[in-house]
Amino acid sequence: MISFYPGPSALWKEMPTWMEEACDCGILSVNHRSAEFAAMLRNTVEQLRQRLEVPEEYGIFFTSSATETWEIILQSLPIKSSAHYFNGAFGQKWFEYGKLLSPRAEAFPFGLSETPTVHFTSSDLVCITHTETSNGTYLPDTFVRQLREASNGQLIAVDATSSMGGISLPWRHADIWFASVQKCLGLPAGMCVVVFSPAAAARAFTLNKDKHYNAFAAAVEQANNWQTTHTPNVLGIFLVGKAMNSLGNINKVHARLDQRKKDWYDFLIHKGWSLLCTNENLQAPTVMAIGGESKWIERVKSETKKAGFMLGNGYGTWKENSFRIANFPAVQNSDHQRLMELLSHL
Ligand SMILES: *Cc1c(COP(=O)(O)O)cnc(C)c1O
């Protein structure tokens, strides 16, 4: 079965070799305060920095999931309140956790095919979702830049779960970028990569909200010494290093995904199929959500499954009337061509 599910997604083909290497080299049994562990962590951070072109002044630490990271950010970084822009299920869930932690959390929802505009807000933390995995939309760089230009000491936090590792990100336009590893990064679930700016670290230390073991400041402090707050997902950290090492430069990866996206769009137009989002500037390179009647969707999913291809179900509001195709780097061009060939007969 070849999976086109947008998370948990298809793993890198090399995964069995990497896992065997992790077992054989002994890293899974070393103490996480040891020099061996610190060297492995450091290598992974350096690989991430190099391949994804993370600016040198930004730091990196690891958590267990994007969901956990929503909460860590909301517990550690707002001075007064957080403001949330969203047009789909993941961004909305982040807002809902924000509201649970502070009744002052603000929501700026926008339509599926609507370009978001920057709102005036006195909130000091702005939360956005770079690729909304539930509906296949993403935020253009211009919007992220406008947010940055309008910000007045505000921190900007970005859920980049379906973007990191596939899209070249405008790092300096935001302060925190994070991604669970089981989507665009093509790794087994259970970990999240968090990239943070000096301003985010400074805010965390100033507020020093250390009431939680998962405080942002504690994670930064440990990361500065190639350490972690707790015994981490050592295998996960090791695998990110391996995946980055074989990924190649992010600009090349992004160009490859853009070309595949273009091929898919030509194909969809030819078939007369349409994406949920009709605004071309907002259609994500990494996740496509194709809309249609629920009966037809069911048929497409079952026919493809019979032929050995797993499509993604719709999500949230769009559960019944869409299916999703991940365009993540771990899946090869030839597999996309085979899926297209099969779909062309439906
Ligand atoms: C999948 C996803 C999440 C949740 O990831 P977990 O690893 O389950 O916490 C959060 N945000 C986005 C954009 C996602 O696609």
Side-chain angles (χ1 to χ4, degrees):
M1 186 72 77
I2 301 169
S3 177
F4 289 85
Y5 221 103
S9 57
L11 301 173
W12 289 95
K13 297 269 182 298
E14 298 89 337
M15 192 57 65
T17 321
W18 296 340
M19 285 196 173
E20 203 174 320
E21 195 182 323
C23 294
D24 290 348
C25 76
I27 192 71
L28 302 181
S29 305
V30 306
N31 182 310
H32 69 290
R33 300 292 173 215
S34 67
E36 289 92 333
F37 172 80
M40 189 280 285
L41 179 75
R42 181 175 184 159
N43 174 60
T44 292
V45 168
E46 282 168 1
Q47 294 284 346
L48 277 164
R49 189 182 298 291
Q50 193 189 3
R51 298 304 194 191
L52 304 185
E53 301 199 333
V54 176
E56 57 182 296
E57 73 275 18
Y58 279 54
I60 298 174
F61 65 78
F62 302 95
T63 60
S64 304
S65 69
T67 306
E68 183 187 62
T69 309
W70 292 341
E71 189 175 80
I72 294 173
I73 289 170
L74 293 170
Q75 283 171 339
S76 296
L77 297 177
I79 304 167
K80 283 192 310 224
S81 57
S82 55
H84 301 253
Y85 289 81
F86 56 85
N87 74 351
F90 288 104
Q92 180 166 358
K93 274 192 207 167
W94 192 4
F95 163 65
E96 277 157 14
Y97 287 115
K99 223 168 34 175
L100 288 176
L101 285 165
S102 159
R104 281 182 298 195
E106 284 180 284
F108 298 129
F110 55 98
L112 182 61
S113 301
E114 181 193 343
T115 307
T117 51
V118 176
H119 293 263
F120 173 79
T121 172
S122 59
S123 289
D124 41 68
L125 174 74
V126 177
C127 301
I128 59 178
T129 304
H130 194 258
T131 292
E132 179 50 78
T133 321
S134 65
N135 58 26
T137 61
Y138 84 133
L139 295 171
D141 286 358
T142 45
F143 175 72
V144 189
R145 198 183 60 231
Q146 282 164 7
L147 261 187
R148 185 55 131 192
E149 283 165 1
S151 81
N152 179 10
Q154 289 162 334
L155 292 180
I156 300 171
V158 191
D159 181 342
T161 295
S162 283
S163 303
M164 198 185 288
I167 298 177
S168 172
L169 297 169
W171 299 105
R172 287 193 171 102
H173 292 339
D175 298 288
I176 305 114
W177 298 83
F178 59 93
S180 273
V181 299
Q182 77 276 16
K183 308 254 169 111
C184 203
L185 287 162
L187 297 166
M191 205 172 78
C192 177
V193 178
V194 184
V195 177
F196 61 93
S197 71
R203 170 88 67 90
F205 285 122
T206 308
L207 296 179
N208 200 17
K209 296 189 187 183
D210 58 358
K211 285 178 286 194
H212 312 276
Y213 90 93
N214 253 333
F216 202 94
V220 170
E221 197 171 356
Q222 293 291 347
N224 287 340
N225 299 312
W226 313 111
Q227 288 289 320
T228 55
T229 51
H230 56 283
T231 318
N233 183 342
V234 182
L235 178 60
I237 297 173
F238 178 85
L239 293 174
V240 171
K242 288 287 164 190
M244 285 300 115
N245 187 35
S246 74
L247 183 73
N249 179 273
I250 189 64
N251 297 310
K252 286 208 181 109
V253 177
H254 192 163
R256 183 162 67 90
L257 297 190
D258 269 346
Q259 181 56 49
R260 261 189 347 211
K261 163 180 162 174
K262 197 180 161 300
D263 293 346
W264 269 110
Y265 289 3
D266 291 346
F267 173 82
L268 295 175
I269 288 168
H270 177 73
K271 289 289 286 180
W273 296 356
S274 53
L275 295 167
L276 287 180
C277 171
T278 54
N279 184 336
E280 269 180 48
N281 297 327
L282 305 177
Q283 293 165 347
T286 48
V287 182
M288 288 170 285
I290 294 127
E293 267 189 29
S294 60
K295 269 218 173 98
W296 175 75
I297 302 275
E298 273 311 316
R299 194 170 72 86
V300 173
K301 286 194 298 194
S302 72
E303 293 291 319
T304 44
K305 195 167 179 184
K306 267 189 253 161
F309 298 94
M310 174 74 90
L311 300 179
N313 291 333
Y315 195 98
T317 325
W318 303 281
K319 196 172 173 53
E320 306 294 330
N321 56 9
S322 69
F323 65 86
R324 293 175 299 158
I325 297 176
N327 182 23
F328 294 155
V331 175
Q332 281 151 10
N333 286 352
S334 54
D335 290 331
H336 279 269
Q337 275 152 14
R338 286 171 56 205
L339 177 60
M340 246 182 242
E341 168 65 23
L342 175 72
L343 288 176
S344 70
H345 301 298
L346 291 181

